[in-house]
């Protein structure tokens, strides 16, 4: 076989090695959080994988050149076995094969051992790429093939195969690709070129060149990590966005490795020419991208390529061009020695950005610092003129300045550039970009983590108080309580009202979330002020409230029968950051953290989950406890689990004159009848699911996220699922609640049917349909059966229906020219929700039409005061389409 005939096999070997390696890397890092905690897993796993890969390249480069063909077989076998074995090892450790204190060490070892053979492929393949003396100088095609195939693997193995089968299957496939890569490399290797007289000692890479390689690796890894942070905001914080950023990054690196070496000098001027391009690319990321507007799927990968490509494209060519610029020695050894420096570069870049730069400087300034790495890299290169180095230095310093002066790119994302938002606070830590905003249109203060509207203070979030009250009312003596995921602190604030509670442990991973707590004191009752040592708590956490800033699952793991109640409302179940807080393995950890008779309380959002996901999440919980109950408050599911059925004890409910009674009554939980009324079914009634949700197979994170009107159909379907499984509460509870409890239960279940009918009617009003059977009657019929109702939840629902009718009906009347009718309806809507800016804007329009200049001016000023950019919102644009014109409009907009 000639050298030309062998090259396609070598390229294919490099490609399959890259595919198997990248797929394995993504799968292992996704699981590493089980051992070291989700907050540190991605950063730690990324730098460990790159370091292990680089160390493997160095070891392969130091091996005898004559053994390259057999070496490829060996690394193929090791890599093929390493990925699935490391995957199994991580999950065995998490399942109890090792004591928890050893999990971190085991995780580090498993990642390194899986990465080592993956790094050996390129130096061994480089030895057979050319028959010239010393082997190939230009290895850019091998790098490009390796990276390009990694793009495909990230999508089709790391995502699609894991979604359709399981992560374990994807890990086996990744290992198989690595094994095949070794075999193809052996077939294409052929005779190895002579390395010349210096082969025995090898070719030493000058330290300055190694430092350049390390700086570039730190730079590259930092840009990728910043891309993941921005991708969580720009494209959504779910698994498809992570995959999109990975695909976009690898595509840019592959294009850089394949194309740029063809146009650059072969000496030290080549690497120098790349540095200002990469530095300017770091500044490119700071450009506003809020109007990119790409759709889900591969278009998200294109958006990530546009965002990160200018920075990563030149960086992808640096190592091949550095290798080409060196002379002497054998190609494989030269490449291995060069790649060794990537190890300490990776160990420097990602941790520095994740734990130091981002929390202290923010994304913009961190990107400026990364762009400024061109300066030391240029100074380390010898050969280029002083003028060329001066130019690179000037560009690097300019990018550094731009980074410190530019606004945060996170704030330009669609979620945060919403014209309805007035940003009150913005803080980045190593986990999230946390924002506190006033939503002028919805009339509520809101907390956002990255792009996700995590929580707010409106009526839609009353269930968060129930998460605090319900388990405490059902526990005989809840002395010590843990609240996992702080958010606005609404649940913790509810717990703090119960005088029986002596200790509240706040389990929160993000310091930025805790620091935003003062903005929500009306709902959290200032509970966090005592819990944050050194910042809000002068007693350093020794009082009633103690904060644990760490991964919540890990905190529970290290506890032993510590809490009487654990209540939690983490991120959505299908978020890769939170999915492992909804699995049977997690619930086993939670059971061990509970004292005997303890209760775990978990939130599940029917409005945000597809029916199959909803079923799997509830099934995982219900199957994990000897006793479990499903409750419904509003449209939100509250789950309770314990080793025994809790008692509904009247003694646990406060006197009517107490402060606690005044807090519980507006929620309808002031007596046993109110608790009984929220009951839906016991956990044993929940049906089995065809694909269970587990740590090894968290398949729900890979499901495409529906948005807009399509997502609205999920809620009535999930409510219908709950309706079909309704059953009577435990008999002991019914005896305690008596006839009043059964009447209350019937009333609230009628409410559930009315709410489902209303959601279906709302979809039909939007021109959409919902599959399956409805609650058996039209909305008007259920509203008539419901009556005025005595339960607070019934009364709140009727207010919600009335407000929606007045708001939408008023706008509809405006569009039809029925101005007097519109005035009456909008007046009623404003009386019910005076904090909504859109209502005042439409009132200004109707007053303008009716000739009331004073009312129009007053309504316009009120709208502008609540939401200064109200005209840019969809509601504002609608008002202008309907003819909103005002004499002072122009000057008011300018103000």
């Amino acid at each position: 076989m000639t050298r030309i005939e062998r090259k396609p096999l070598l390229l294919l070997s490099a490609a399959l090695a890259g595919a198997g390696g990248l797929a394995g890397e993504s799968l292992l890092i996704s699981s590493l959080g089980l051992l070291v905690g989700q907050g540190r897993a991605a950063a730690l796993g990324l730098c460990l994988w790159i370091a292990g890969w680089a160390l493997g390249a160095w070891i392969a480069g130091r091996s005898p050149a004559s053994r390259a063909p057999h070496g490829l077989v060996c690394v193929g076998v090791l890599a093929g076995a390493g990925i699935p074995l490391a995957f199994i090892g991580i999950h065995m450790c998490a399942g109890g094969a090792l004591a928890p204190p050893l999990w971190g060490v085991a995780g580090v070892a498993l990642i390194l051992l899986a990465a080592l053979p993956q790094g050996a492929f390129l130096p061994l393949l480089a030895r057979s790429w050319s028959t010239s003396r010393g082997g190939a100088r230009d290895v850019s095609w091998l790098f490009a093939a390796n990276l390009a195939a990694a793009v495909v693997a990230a999508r089709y193995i790391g995502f699609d195969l894991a979604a359709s089968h399981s992560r374990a299957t994807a890990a086996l496939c990744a290992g198989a690709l690595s094994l095949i890569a070794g075999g193809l490399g052996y077939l294409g290797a052929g005779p190895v070129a002579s390395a010349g007289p210096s082969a025995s000692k090898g070719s030493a890479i000058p330290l300055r060149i190694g430092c350049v390689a390390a700086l570039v690796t730190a730079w590259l890894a930092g840009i990728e990590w910043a891309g993941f942070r921005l991708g969580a905001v720009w494209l959504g914080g779910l698994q498809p966005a992570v995959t999109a950023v990975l695909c976009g990054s690898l595509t840019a690196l592959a294009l850089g490795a394949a194309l740029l070496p063809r146009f650059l000098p072969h000496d030290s001027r080549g690497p120098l020419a790349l540095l200002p391009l990469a530095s300017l690319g770091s500044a490119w990321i700071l450009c506003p991208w809020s109007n990119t507007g790409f759709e889900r799927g591969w278009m998200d990968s294109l958006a990530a390529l546009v965002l990160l490509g200018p920075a990563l494209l030149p960086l992808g060519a640096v190592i091949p061009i550095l290798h080409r610029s060196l002379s002497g020695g054998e190609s494989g050894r030269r490449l291995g020695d060069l790649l060794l420096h990537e190890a300490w570069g990776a160990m420097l870049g990602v941790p520095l950005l994740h734990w130091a730069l981002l929390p202290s400087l923010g994304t913009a300034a961190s990107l400026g610092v990364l762009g400024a790495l061109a300066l030391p890299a240029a100074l380390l290169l010898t050969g280029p003129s002083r003028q060329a180095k001066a130019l690179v230095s000037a560009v690097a310093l300019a990018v550094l300045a731009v980074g410190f002066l530019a606004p945060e790119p996170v704030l330009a994302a669609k979620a945060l550039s919403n014209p309805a938002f007035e940003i009150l606070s913005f803080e980045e830590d190593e986990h999230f970009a946390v924002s506190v905003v006033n939503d002028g249109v919805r009339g509520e203060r809101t907390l956002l983590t990255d792009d996700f509207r995590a929580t707010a203070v409106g009526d839609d979030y009353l269930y968060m108080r129930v998460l605090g009250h319900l388990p405490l009312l059902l526990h005989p003596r809840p002395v010590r309580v843990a609240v996992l995921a702080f958010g606005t602190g609404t649940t913790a604030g509810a717990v703090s009202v119960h005088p029986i509670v002596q200790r509240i442990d706040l389990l929160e991973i993000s310091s930025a979330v805790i620091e935003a707590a003062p903005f929500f004191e009306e709902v959290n009752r200032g509970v966090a002020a005592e819990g944050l040592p050194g910042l809000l708590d002068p007693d350093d956490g020794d009082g009633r409230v103690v904060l644990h800033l760490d991964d919540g699952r890990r905190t529970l793991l290290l506890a032993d029968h510590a809490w009487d109640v654990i209540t939690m409302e983490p991120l959505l179940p299908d978020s890769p950051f939170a999915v492992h807080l909804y699995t049977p393995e997690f619930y086993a950890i939670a059971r061990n953290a509970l004292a005997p008779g303890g209760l775990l309380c978990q939130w599940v959002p029917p409005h945000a989950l597809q029916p199959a996901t909803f079923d799997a999440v509830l099934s995982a919980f219900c199957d994990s406890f000897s006793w479990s109950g499903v409750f419904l408050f509003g449209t939100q599911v509250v789950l309770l689990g314990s080793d025994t059925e809790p008692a509904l004890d009247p003694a646990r409910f406060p006197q009517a004159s107490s402060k606690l009674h005044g807090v519980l009554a507006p929620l309808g939980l002031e007596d046993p009848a109110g608790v009984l009324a929220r009951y839906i079914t016991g956990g044993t009634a929940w049906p089995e699911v065809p694909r269970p949700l587990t740590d090894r197979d968290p398949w729900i994170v890979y499901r495409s996220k529906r948005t807009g009107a399509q997502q609205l159909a999920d809620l009535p379907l999930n409510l219908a699922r709950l309706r079909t499984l309704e059953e009577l509460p435990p008999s002991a509870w019914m005896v305690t609640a008596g006839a009043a409890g059964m009447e209350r239960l019937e009333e609230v279940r009628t409410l559930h049917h009315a709410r489902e009918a209303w959601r279906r009617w709302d979809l039909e009003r939007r021109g959409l349909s919902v599959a399956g059977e409805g609650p058996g009657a039209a909305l008007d019929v259920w509203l008539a059966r419901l009556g005025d109702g005595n339960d607070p939840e019934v009364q709140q629902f009727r207010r919600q229906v009335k407000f929606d009718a007045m708001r939408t009906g008023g706008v509809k009347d405006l569009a039809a020219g029925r101005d007097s009718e519109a005035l009456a309806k909008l007046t009623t809507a404003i009386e019910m929700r005076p904090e909504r800016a859109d209502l005042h804007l439409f009132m200004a329009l109707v007053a303008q039409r009716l000739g009331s200049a004073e009312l129009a001016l007053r309504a316009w000023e009120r709208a502008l005061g609540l939401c200064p950019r109200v005209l840019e919102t969809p509601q504002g644009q609608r008002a202008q389409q309907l003819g909103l014109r005002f004499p002072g409009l122009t000057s008011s907009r300018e103000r």
Side-chain angles (χ1 to χ4, degrees):
M1 185 181 295
T2 66
R3 179 175 65 86
I4 296 177
E5 291 173 331
R6 289 198 307 269
K7 279 197 172 184
L9 289 176
L10 297 176
L11 283 174
L12 187 56
S13 175
L16 293 180
L22 192 281
E25 175 189 358
S26 63
L27 293 166
L28 293 177
I29 292 176
S30 297
S31 300
L32 183 62
L34 299 173
L35 300 185
V36 302
Q38 292 297 331
R40 57 181 67 91
L44 180 62
L46 180 60
C47 65
L48 284 174
W49 183 273
I50 297 175
W53 187 91
L55 188 59
W58 176 74
I59 294 173
R62 290 277 165 170
S63 66
S66 60
R67 298 179 184 174
H70 296 92
L72 284 165
V73 174
C74 181
V75 299
V77 172
L78 292 175
I83 292 172
L85 288 178
F87 181 84
I88 293 171
I90 287 175
H91 287 275
M92 286 183 64
C93 290
L98 281 181
L102 299 176
W103 286 9
V105 175
V108 170
L110 289 168
I111 294 291
L112 288 174
L113 289 175
L116 275 170
Q118 295 292 338
F121 277 102
L122 287 180
L124 296 176
L125 291 171
R127 286 175 167 155
S128 300
W129 187 249
S130 172
T131 57
S132 61
R133 187 182 182 88
R137 289 190 66 192
D138 188 352
V139 294
S140 59
W141 285 117
L142 291 174
F143 268 82
N146 187 267
L147 291 165
V151 177
V152 179
R155 177 69 197 189
Y156 290 109
I157 300 177
F159 187 89
D160 288 345
L161 187 60
S164 61
H165 291 75
S166 68
R167 282 182 176 175
T169 303
L172 287 172
C173 183
L177 290 178
S178 299
L179 181 63
I180 296 171
L184 291 175
Y186 173 81
L187 294 176
V192 179
S194 172
S198 62
S200 59
K201 296 183 180 180
S203 175
I205 298 297
L207 180 59
R208 55 181 177 77
I209 298 298
C211 289
V212 172
L215 286 173
V216 167
T217 302
W219 188 353
L220 185 155
I223 291 291
E224 280 197 283
W225 190 251
F228 286 119
R229 163 58 62 85
L230 292 175
V233 182
W234 290 96
L235 307 175
L238 302 181
Q239 192 69 37
V242 175
T243 303
V245 171
L246 193 58
C247 290
S249 301
L250 293 169
T251 300
L253 294 172
L255 290 173
L259 300 177
L260 294 183
R262 319 293 154 221
F263 305 101
L264 295 174
H266 285 212
D267 54 21
S268 58
R269 293 175 299 166
L272 187 71
L274 294 171
L275 297 178
L277 296 176
S279 188
L280 291 172
S282 300
W284 167 269
I285 301 175
L286 299 175
C287 296
W289 289 102
S290 57
N291 296 318
T292 303
F294 289 98
E295 297 176 355
R296 299 295 180 202
W298 278 105
M299 292 301 289
D300 269 359
S301 300
L302 181 58
L305 177 60
V306 172
L307 178 67
L308 302 175
L312 292 179
L313 192 117
L315 291 176
V318 171
I319 297 298
I321 289 180
L322 279 176
H323 175 269
R324 188 177 67 181
S325 68
L326 298 170
S327 59
E330 183 267 325
S331 176
R333 185 158 193 172
R334 195 164 65 240
L335 182 59
D337 288 350
L338 182 62
L339 292 177
L340 174 64
H341 294 277
E342 286 197 348
W344 67 270
M347 298 301 289
L348 171 68
V350 176
L352 180 66
L353 188 74
H354 179 66
W355 281 291
L357 293 181
L358 275 175
S360 59
L361 300 179
T363 303
S366 299
L367 289 169
V369 171
L370 291 175
L373 291 178
L375 175 57
L379 296 178
L380 288 168
L381 292 171
T382 60
S385 65
R386 291 184 178 180
Q387 293 83 353
K389 290 185 176 183
L391 176 62
V392 174
S393 301
V395 171
L397 292 174
V399 169
L400 178 64
V402 168
F404 276 88
L405 296 175
E408 288 296 337
V410 173
L411 294 176
K414 287 182 179 179
L416 290 173
S417 59
N418 186 338
F421 288 173
E422 177 189 1
I423 297 178
L424 304 179
S425 171
F426 175 79
E427 189 72 30
E428 290 185 272
D429 62 14
E430 59 266 37
H431 306 295
F432 301 112
V434 177
S435 310
V436 179
V437 303
N438 275 340
D439 186 335
V441 171
R442 298 182 64 166
E444 58 189 25
R445 184 164 293 181
T446 301
L447 178 75
L448 289 94
T449 54
D450 292 333
D451 74 322
F452 176 59
R453 188 188 286 261
T455 179
V457 297
D459 288 345
D460 290 342
Y461 300 91
L462 292 176
Y463 71 90
M464 294 181 179
R465 303 179 189 183
V466 177
L467 290 169
H469 296 305
L470 181 61
L472 269 62
L473 294 172
L474 289 173
H475 192 282
R477 186 171 169 76
V479 175
R480 186 170 181 181
V481 178
V483 180
L484 193 158
F486 184 77
T488 58
T490 303
T491 300
V495 171
S496 71
V497 178
H498 291 254
I500 194 173
V501 177
Q502 299 176 10
R503 169 75 174 262
I504 303 173
D505 293 275
L506 306 178
L507 281 55
E508 173 59 53
I509 196 170
S510 171
S511 61
V513 168
I514 295 294
E515 291 173 26
F519 289 97
F520 301 96
E521 283 194 356
E522 65 175 281
V523 293
N524 63 41
R525 302 175 185 272
V527 68
E530 185 184 341
L532 191 55
L535 183 60
L536 301 177
D537 182 8
D539 297 326
D540 281 343
D542 292 330
R544 186 189 186 207
V545 181
V546 176
L547 173 70
H548 305 264
L549 274 177
D550 199 357
D551 177 79
R553 175 167 169 153
R554 183 171 177 82
T555 303
L556 294 183
L557 174 71
L558 300 177
D560 186 19
H561 305 302
W563 290 287
D564 301 307
V565 169
I566 301 171
T567 183
M568 51 190 294
E569 189 207 359
L571 296 176
L572 295 177
D574 52 1
S575 162
F577 207 77
V579 66
H580 294 293
L581 297 176
Y582 292 88
T583 61
E585 294 87 348
F586 166 74
Y587 296 130
I589 293 172
R591 288 198 309 270
N592 187 66
L594 287 168
L599 284 167
L600 177 69
C601 184
Q602 170 80 290
W603 162 77
V604 178
H607 69 284
L609 302 177
Q610 297 183 42
T613 302
F614 180 71
D615 281 357
V617 170
L618 265 71
S619 176
F621 185 96
C622 294
D623 290 346
S624 299
F625 293 91
S626 300
W627 176 88
S628 58
V630 181
F631 298 77
L632 186 64
F633 187 88
T635 60
Q636 303 302 296
V637 168
V638 177
L639 302 175
L640 287 179
S642 181
D643 54 2
T644 58
E645 179 182 297
L648 186 60
D649 185 359
R652 288 290 300 117
F653 291 83
Q655 298 294 323
S657 59
S658 69
K659 176 183 176 182
L660 181 56
H661 184 278
V663 172
L664 294 174
L667 300 173
L669 297 177
E670 72 282 2
D671 56 23
V675 172
L676 190 82
R678 319 299 155 187
Y679 184 86
I680 296 295
T681 186
T684 56
W686 201 264
E688 293 186 4
V689 293
R691 187 175 179 182
L693 174 64
T694 65
D695 277 350
R696 290 197 180 196
D697 187 21
W699 56 271
I700 64 174
V701 304
Y702 299 103
R703 292 180 70 88
S704 59
K705 190 72 174 178
R706 293 186 289 185
T707 58
Q710 287 184 331
Q711 188 180 12
L712 297 177
D714 292 334
L715 178 57
L717 289 174
N718 290 329
L719 292 178
R721 179 65 152 170
L722 294 170
R723 170 171 50 81
T724 61
L725 294 173
E726 286 179 345
E727 63 178 13
L728 290 175
S731 56
W733 291 18
M734 291 191 291
V735 171
T736 299
M742 296 307 295
E743 290 177 7
R744 191 90 165 265
L745 177 66
E746 183 179 354
E747 178 185 11
V748 173
R749 289 194 171 175
T750 301
L751 166 66
H752 295 164
H753 298 169
R755 195 187 301 278
E756 181 189 344
W758 184 49
R759 293 294 179 177
R760 288 177 175 270
W761 171 82
D762 182 57
L763 286 172
E764 293 171 358
R765 181 179 63 178
R766 299 169 186 264
L768 302 173
S769 60
V770 185
E773 292 289 333
L779 174 60
D780 292 342
V781 175
W782 284 114
L783 290 175
R785 291 181 185 177
L786 192 59
D788 292 336
N790 296 317
D791 190 274
E793 192 178 344
V794 173
Q795 296 168 3
Q796 194 274 336
F797 172 70
R798 294 199 70 96
R799 288 194 301 270
Q800 185 180 14
V801 172
K802 180 179 179 180
F803 171 77
D804 180 75
M806 295 297 101
R807 179 181 62 86
T808 58
V811 176
K812 187 176 181 180
D813 286 340
L814 273 173
R818 297 187 292 268
D819 299 330
S820 298
E821 291 87 342
L823 176 64
K825 292 177 180 177
L826 289 172
T827 299
T828 301
I830 289 174
E831 290 173 352
M832 298 179 73
R833 297 288 303 276
E835 70 277 11
R836 290 192 55 139
D838 60 330
L839 300 178
H840 296 282
L841 192 65
F842 287 116
M843 179 60 76
L845 172 57
V846 73
Q848 169 192 301
R849 288 185 178 181
L850 295 174
S852 178
E854 182 179 354
L855 176 59
L857 176 61
R858 194 164 58 245
W860 163 248
E861 290 178 344
R862 180 61 174 156
L864 194 64
L866 291 169
C867 183
R869 298 171 58 196
V870 66
L871 290 180
E872 300 174 39
T873 66
Q875 294 84 355
Q877 294 171 7
R878 177 61 172 157
Q880 293 177 80
Q881 291 172 358
L882 292 175
L884 179 62
R885 297 290 183 271
F886 194 73
L889 184 60
T890 303
S891 60
S892 298
R893 278 186 80 177
E894 291 173 354
R895 289 199 305 270

